[in-house]
Amino acid sequence: MTNLPSTELGAVRRLQVLAASIPGAAYDETVVQAPFESLWAFVSDMDTSMPRLFPNFRTWRTVAHHGDHLQAAAVGYLGQRGVFDVTLKPGLCIMQDRRFIGGIAAQPGVTGTRFALLAAPRGPARHLGAPLRPLAQRLLRRSARRLGTHLTT
Amino acid sequence: MTGGGQPDLLRLVPAAQGGDALALEALLAVLEPYVARLVSPIALGDAADATQESLVLVLRNLRGLQEPAALFSWARTIAVRQAVHMARSTSQTAVREPVDIPDHGDEQFAADVHDVLDRMTPEHRAVLVLRDIEGLDERTASRLLDVPRGTVKSRLARARAGFRKAWQQ
């Protein structure tokens, strides 16, 4: 019965599912005028891309890489340090330390590459997610636009 | 029957319940093909939306799951009910867009199956999926669809007859 109709969500819808399932998550999506391959190559170079995509990171240093799992040491603008566990697959990236959850998704679209970002507080701060969501969404939108500009200039 | 190899549910479910986003993503990865396979023949043109909505319901309510090993049967109940609900509400109003037929196997056969299913009601498609594809017994299907066993039996008879008739045309 393998010929019955079935469907695949794609990376962006998967990130939407996670955003709807993680309490307090902020989510934003845009279309970037760049090929998926070059966009995802940029994202996958996380030591460079993370400080550009998420304004809370000053530096990001990948310290271990096994298959689609990474570990990274990040430093924030206020000097806070975090050890991140990351799942990095083609088109989808999820990361977390004990205070923060981040997500990135991309897939080829009709007029460009659909690109989506997720951010949510984790742990004791998770209750701040809902009240801070409008602010987080504005920051994500700004990050996505910055990426678009970076990749097309 | 699950959508792939049996994942480490005993580890992943409690971790995801505790707020581990990587475990949540791992559960999404194993649940998606299973839910899509169940939902697509019922929701047809709304398959992607029904799959997405079902997965949101499953993952958002994960804390209510007592027994990690029961994840797939629990997800099945949510997904089938959601698919029937969406198919029922859109079948009255929607102009269907053609669905993407998976690029494997005999595409014409898949299109024919889709066409035949499209002529049936969502309730008949659901009972056909549960009994003839998932292989559930009458009692389980009745509990899952929240209808009496007699209704499952009569719907299945009508669904099979309708499928055969439409297939021969």
Side-chain angles (χ1 to χ4, degrees):
Chain A
M1 300 301 271
T2 54
N3 279 311
L4 280 171
S6 190
T7 189
E8 263 190 42
L9 288 188
V12 171
R13 274 189 186 246
R14 281 179 201 124
L15 195 67
Q16 289 172 357
V17 170
L18 293 172
S21 310
I22 296 170
Y27 173 89
D28 195 65
E29 183 185 332
T30 188
V31 174
V32 175
Q33 299 302 324
F36 168 80
E37 290 74 17
S38 56
L39 187 153
W40 201 250
F42 172 77
V43 169
S44 302
D45 177 12
M46 296 184 80
D47 291 9
T48 304
S49 63
M50 288 305 103
R52 283 178 183 265
L53 289 175
F54 292 99
N56 46 327
F57 297 138
R58 190 172 65 190
T59 63
W60 175 283
R61 190 167 55 85
T62 303
V63 293
H65 196 161
H66 306 287
D68 61 9
H69 186 74
L70 282 74
Q71 269 205 332
V75 180
Y77 274 95
L78 301 176
Q80 72 276 29
R81 293 172 185 277
V83 176
F84 276 80
D85 286 311
V86 183
T87 297
L88 178 64
K89 301 174 176 177
L92 186 66
C93 175
I94 306 295
M95 71 201 76
Q96 67 182 8
D97 74 347
R98 58 193 175 86
R99 289 181 297 242
F100 175 76
I101 295 170
I104 308 166
Q107 68 183 66
V110 179
T111 59
T113 299
R114 293 177 66 192
F115 180 70
L117 290 170
L118 172 156
R122 187 174 182 227
R126 69 185 181 279
H127 302 295
L128 297 174
L132 290 178
R133 188 181 290 131
L135 172 65
Q137 260 159 345
R138 273 206 298 279
L139 293 173
L140 291 181
R141 184 158 304 168
R142 199 180 301 165
S143 295
R145 282 185 189 150
R146 248 198 332 259
L147 172 70
T149 308
H150 171 78
L151 288 174
T152 52
T153 53
Chain B
M1 183 64 195
T2 64
Q6 186 67 17
D8 187 4
L9 296 182
L10 296 180
R11 181 183 65 82
L12 289 177
V13 171
Q17 287 171 327
D20 183 330
L22 269 54
L24 201 66
E25 190 281 329
L27 287 179
L28 172 61
V30 295
L31 280 170
E32 183 194 328
Y34 178 67
V35 167
R37 190 163 55 83
L38 282 173
V39 158
S40 299
I42 302 171
L44 295 177
D46 301 313
D49 287 342
T51 301
Q52 182 169 354
E53 288 304 312
S54 300
L55 288 165
V56 167
L57 284 172
V58 169
L59 296 183
R60 195 182 270 171
N61 294 296
L62 199 62
R63 282 173 190 269
L65 179 65
Q66 307 277 326
E67 179 49 60
L71 176 70
F72 282 90
S73 58
W74 186 67
R76 180 172 59 203
T77 302
I78 292 172
V80 170
R81 288 180 182 175
Q82 180 67 15
V84 171
H85 171 72
M86 288 185 73
R88 199 189 289 146
S89 57
T90 55
S91 65
Q92 294 158 359
T93 54
V95 176
R96 284 242 163 76
E97 303 216 352
V99 293
D100 293 332
I101 300 299
D103 188 20
H104 55 73
D106 183 343
E107 289 184 22
Q108 184 56 50
F109 178 74
D112 290 344
V113 170
H114 179 275
D115 183 51
V116 170
L117 289 170
D118 199 23
R119 298 186 212 177
M120 301 165 68
T121 66
E123 289 82 359
H124 284 176
R125 293 198 294 266
V127 81
L128 209 59
V129 166
L130 292 177
R131 292 283 280 118
D132 288 347
I133 298 173
E134 280 295 291
L136 298 187
D137 60 34
E138 215 166 76
R139 180 183 298 176
T140 310
S142 133
R143 206 169 43 230
L144 200 153
L145 294 170
D146 201 21
V147 295
R149 287 176 67 178
T151 305
V152 169
K153 201 170 182 171
S154 59
R155 276 185 191 170
L156 182 62
R158 283 201 295 273
R160 283 174 176 165
F163 191 94
R164 282 197 196 98
K165 189 177 169 191
W167 190 253
Q168 284 159 3
Q169 282 175 355

